[in-house]
Amino acid sequence: MSKSPIGIGLLGMGVVGGGVASTLDQKRDQLTALIGCPLDLKGVLVRDAAKPRAQKLPHGILTTNAEDIFNNPEIDIVVELMGGQDPAFDYIRKSIDQGMHVVTANKEVMARHGPDLLLAAQDRNVQVLFEASVAGGTPIIAPLMRDLVANEIIGIRGIINGTTNYILTRMANEGADFDATLKDAQALGYAEADPTNDIEGIDASYKLAILATLAFRARVRDTDVFHEGITKLTARDFQYADELGYAIKLLAIANSSEDGVQARVYPALVPQDMMIAKVDGVLNAVEIEADLTGNLLFHGAGAGALPTTSAVLADVIDIARNIVSSVAPPPSLSLSDDVRIRSMLELETRYYVRLTTTDRPGVLAQVGTVLGDLNISIASAIQKEMDDQAKQAEIVLMTHRASEAAMQQAIQRLNALDVVAEVGNMIRVEEW
Ligand code: NAP
Ligand code: HSE
């Protein structure tokens, strides 16, 4: 058994990289015992070398030149914690080409290029692991790749973005509007200065593409995932949802059937008594439906320096143990490339529709006719008087199951009615 240290090169030492650097130092003895040799930090790439850092580093290992990492023969495992597509993708690719193993938390790169990187790694006889790219500290990639491998995965449903779950929880609990809650989330450091990827559902769509690819052993690209964000939700949507017995959550859902794979991210009404409706704050939860195990729920921290460090180090330890015991990397995933991706228009579900209308006799009948003509059946309707002077009312409809294609047409036709001032929101209902 080799006792010489395994060299680690860190690309990025921000929130997560800082946690990894500190933990490598603080848990050095424990990690050495687990692996059979020490893990030595041999190089750390950052953008700004002058920035004050909380972590104590060995002299001379901080650099702003990526070549110092790739050309360092003492580095066995590159840990990419920079984020974003560029230059992270090139750096991961370069590490593989240099024969270095890679651990990454980068969902964007793994969603777009994961299968290609895994193949390149196989060619070079190295490993690329990415547990931290989805659900932070909550294990979900390894269970899909190892523990559940004898199952056929039927569906994935989850809350995989902590920032939006925090915003939605505050909106539900405090009756607050979206803009004010987002500002608070930014002040508290949960939402980034540019929150677009989180609030538009893009971050969740990257993560769902990764999960769906692993679960269905088919190449599901980020562009195959339909996504809609949370920016249109208002305090009134939460109030009506609550009256109707629902919570509102940004859900990531992927299903596989004979007709193909469908993957979608959007805010949805979920019955308040479902487990997923009770996942609050920055927490994540992923439910897996599999043929042998039935339903499984993975629930926990989806972000944060230490939870994410836990996932990164699990991957590092896995690779380091293989190096120590000279075990060849396991074969890469074999993925089907010709899976049919089902369009959102093929979805069938129930819908919540909130409309502002003229408040006079016959309005509900006109709305009902538009829906009826498209074979959409109303399950319930609540009418609230909103503005006496403007003679406007707010109507909230819940439909029976209907097709997405019909519902999208209905929204266009409702918007064109003289008696409809606006279709305030259309939210899909998810029950399982
Ligand atoms: P972060 O705090 O913004 O840190 C990024 C680090 O990368 C910084 O040290 C930065 O250098 C360095 N960096 C960025 N661009 C660089 C470039 N072009 N050249 C050299 N260095 C560069 O990011 P983070 O929150 O730790 O996230 C890292 C990764 O983990 C991302 O992929 C993220 O999606 C993922 N992740 C994060 C969390 C979380 O809780 N934060 C959870 C799960 C996954 P400077 O320090 O000099 O600025
Ligand atoms: N922005 C992400 C979230 C961080 O809010 O879940 C973890 O990937």
Side-chain angles (χ1 to χ4, degrees):
M1 185 184 277
S2 155
K3 297 284 181 204
S4 55
I6 289 176
I8 307 293
L10 262 191
L11 304 180
M13 199 172 64
V15 174
V16 183
V20 169
S22 307
T23 310
L24 283 174
D25 183 37
Q26 286 158 16
K27 293 194 176 230
R28 184 175 171 83
D29 293 345
Q30 187 185 327
L31 296 173
T32 302
L34 278 170
I35 295 164
C37 75
L39 294 175
D40 279 2
L41 205 46
K42 295 287 187 186
V44 176
L45 176 75
V46 291
R47 203 169 13 201
D48 176 3
K51 204 188 249 186
R53 315 259 165 199
Q55 300 75 26
K56 276 186 284 160
L57 294 177
H59 179 71
I61 70 165
L62 197 70
T63 179
T64 54
N65 181 358
E67 296 301 322
D68 290 344
I69 305 288
F70 310 130
N71 295 330
N72 185 339
E74 291 186 315
I75 293 178
D76 304 285
I77 306 172
V78 169
V79 180
E80 185 279 306
L81 299 170
M82 295 163 44
Q85 152 90 15
D86 299 314
F89 169 67
D90 284 342
Y91 289 179
I92 293 175
R93 189 60 225 230
K94 197 149 190 189
S95 305
I96 295 168
D97 292 344
Q98 294 286 96
M100 293 160 160
H101 300 276
V102 173
V103 172
T104 178
N106 196 318
K107 57 231 156 185
E108 186 171 347
V109 165
M110 290 314 290
R112 292 188 169 153
H113 307 288
D116 301 330
L117 289 172
L118 295 179
L119 280 179
Q122 188 171 27
D123 285 348
R124 290 290 291 141
N125 210 25
V126 294
Q127 276 184 277
V128 172
L129 295 182
F130 46 101
E131 180 60 64
S133 64
V134 182
T138 306
I140 187 66
I141 305 279
L144 281 174
M145 289 180 79
R146 204 195 84 91
D147 308 284
L148 298 175
V149 80
N151 286 258
E152 189 175 324
I153 310 288
I154 299 150
I156 305 166
R157 310 173 267 258
I159 294 172
I160 50 178
N161 182 270
T163 305
T164 46
N165 203 40
Y166 172 82
I167 292 172
L168 299 185
T169 304
R170 294 259 327 249
M171 288 177 77
N173 292 346
E174 296 167 24
D177 256 318
F178 173 77
D179 289 335
T181 318
L182 171 61
K183 283 203 180 85
D184 270 2
Q186 285 172 316
L188 288 164
Y190 291 129
E192 291 181 33
D194 178 358
T196 313
N197 274 8
D198 289 325
I199 64 177
E200 296 297 351
I202 298 166
D203 174 87
S205 71
Y206 291 145
K207 293 168 178 170
L208 187 62
I210 295 171
L211 293 183
T213 295
L214 298 178
F216 307 134
R217 292 170 205 131
R219 184 151 190 173
V220 180
R221 294 170 170 80
D222 59 318
T223 47
D224 294 328
V225 181
F226 171 88
H227 68 88
E228 192 178 286
I230 63 167
T231 56
K232 283 197 297 186
L233 295 170
T234 66
R236 289 204 308 285
D237 291 317
F238 283 87
Q239 183 193 321
Y240 295 140
D242 188 49
E243 281 177 35
L244 292 160
Y246 292 92
I248 302 179
K249 294 291 180 189
L250 183 71
L251 292 188
I253 302 174
N255 301 103
S256 176
S257 68
E258 281 173 5
D259 298 334
V261 167
Q262 189 175 60
R264 52 198 204 266
V265 170
Y266 46 63
L269 261 63
V270 285
Q272 285 169 345
D273 57 2
M274 277 175 55
M275 276 198 290
I276 211 141
K278 301 181 211 300
V279 175
D280 280 341
V282 289
L283 292 177
N284 281 197
V286 181
E287 191 172 311
I288 302 284
E289 186 182 345
D291 64 344
L292 302 178
T293 60
N295 283 2
L296 297 167
L297 185 72
F298 298 82
H299 177 216
L306 294 184
T308 311
T309 291
S310 161
V312 169
L313 288 183
D315 285 346
V316 169
I317 292 165
D318 199 1
I319 293 171
R321 282 174 160 165
N322 284 347
I323 295 173
V324 167
S325 47
S326 303
V327 170
S332 190
L333 295 167
S334 107
L335 298 175
S336 153
D337 225 352
D338 61 356
V339 65
R340 175 172 177 268
I341 302 295
R342 292 171 60 211
S343 142
M344 256 305 274
L345 297 178
E346 294 176 47
L347 178 71
E348 207 179 87
T349 190
R350 298 182 63 210
Y351 294 85
Y352 156 109
V353 183
R354 175 170 58 78
L355 308 161
T356 305
T357 66
T358 309
D359 192 12
R360 65 170 158 76
V363 170
L364 205 48
Q366 287 192 49
V367 169
T369 302
V370 165
L371 297 178
D373 285 350
L374 290 161
N375 209 21
I376 300 169
S377 164
I378 297 174
S380 71
I382 314 174
Q383 175 167 344
K384 306 264 180 191
E385 276 177 44
M386 228 173 66
D387 185 337
D388 260 351
Q389 270 189 336
K391 287 263 169 254
Q392 282 193 332
E394 191 155 62
I395 299 175
V396 174
L397 304 172
M398 292 289 284
T399 74
H400 288 295
R401 283 180 78 80
S403 97
E404 174 83 15
M407 184 49 72
Q408 291 198 7
Q409 256 192 300
I411 300 298
Q412 280 182 14
R413 290 189 195 177
L414 288 172
N415 266 319
L417 285 182
D418 283 347
V419 294
V420 172
E422 73 161 340
V423 177
N425 216 340
M426 180 273 270
I427 309 177
R428 298 164 187 94
V429 182
E430 291 290 345
E431 298 165 287
W432 57 84

